[in-house]
Amino acid sequence: AAVISAVNPMTRLSESPAAFSSRRSGSVELTAQEQATVFAAREILSRHINRNPVLTSWQAVMDYCALAVCGEVERFHVLYLDRKNRLISDERMGVGTVDGYPREVVRRALDLNASALILVHNHPSGDPEPSEADIAMTKEVQKACGVLGLTLHDHIIVGAGREVSLRGRGDLG
């Protein structure tokens, strides 16, 4: 975690947290320098997650998700993990609604020989609270994972300046 706090892009920006949150929500365009900073932060967090067990640094996962899956369009990603909870692949499964992906999510997990996964998507509105469709789709993926011996660790929804964990809310069993 020391690596993450030393390079946490939110502490490096010379703007207020409110201004950064507004930028994360997509309401303000990023300058070229800010885009380069965000890209560099994504790369640093990705390298950290690739070299270290993901679940022993949950804040790194949340930081990575907040940077990697944000914007004005809803994007659905899956973090595929190995047996030691290291990132195998971060794959964008779709743009727009999160409906209709359970089959593709599980098929790709098998292709990658993943043991576990974390679902991640953003809400461009800025409100990360899950919809009924988000919860229903998550439960479908969880059921399919259970049948095939895969673990669904969580579904994280990224909003403006805040992320919500469905496991943390009690929506995953």
Side-chain angles (χ1 to χ4, degrees):
V3 174
I4 294 303
S5 62
V7 296
N8 188 333
M10 290 178 225
T11 61
R12 295 278 178 135
L13 294 175
S14 61
E15 62 188 357
S16 72
F20 184 75
S21 292
S22 129
R23 290 181 191 283
R24 280 183 53 193
S25 71
S27 63
V28 177
E29 290 294 318
L30 295 175
T31 67
Q33 181 180 2
E34 290 167 330
Q35 288 175 353
T37 301
V38 168
F39 179 79
R42 284 179 181 156
E43 291 296 310
I44 291 166
L45 287 168
S46 180
R47 281 196 315 269
H48 177 76
I49 288 171
N50 279 320
R51 285 188 296 222
N52 296 289
V54 171
L55 295 179
T56 62
S57 181
W58 193 249
Q59 188 58 51
V61 174
M62 296 298 272
D63 289 345
Y64 177 80
C65 292
L67 287 169
V69 186
C70 62
E72 296 177 14
V73 176
E74 189 165 0
R75 294 180 11 209
F76 178 63
H77 285 234
V78 180
L79 306 180
Y80 292 101
L81 309 171
D82 69 10
R83 293 192 190 290
K84 293 184 178 181
N85 289 319
R86 289 182 303 228
L87 185 67
I88 296 171
S89 183
D90 170 354
E91 300 201 5
R92 185 174 69 195
M93 301 299 288
V95 176
T97 180
V98 299
D99 297 335
Y101 294 115
R103 184 175 173 176
E104 289 80 14
V105 167
V106 174
R107 181 180 336 175
R108 187 65 181 143
L110 296 173
D111 289 345
L112 292 169
N113 199 27
S115 296
L117 47 111
I118 299 171
L119 307 177
V120 185
H121 83 279
N122 68 313
H123 281 176
S125 68
D127 180 6
E129 290 302 317
S131 67
E132 290 299 319
D134 294 337
I135 294 169
M137 185 275 301
T138 303
K139 289 183 178 184
E140 285 182 43
V141 171
Q142 187 177 36
K143 186 186 302 182
C145 285
V147 168
L148 297 170
L150 300 167
T151 301
L152 175 60
H153 286 307
D154 207 342
H155 183 163
I156 298 167
I157 302 175
V158 176
R162 180 166 82 90
E163 297 76 42
V164 169
S165 157
L166 269 65
R167 181 164 304 280
R169 282 176 34 104
D171 293 320
L172 289 176

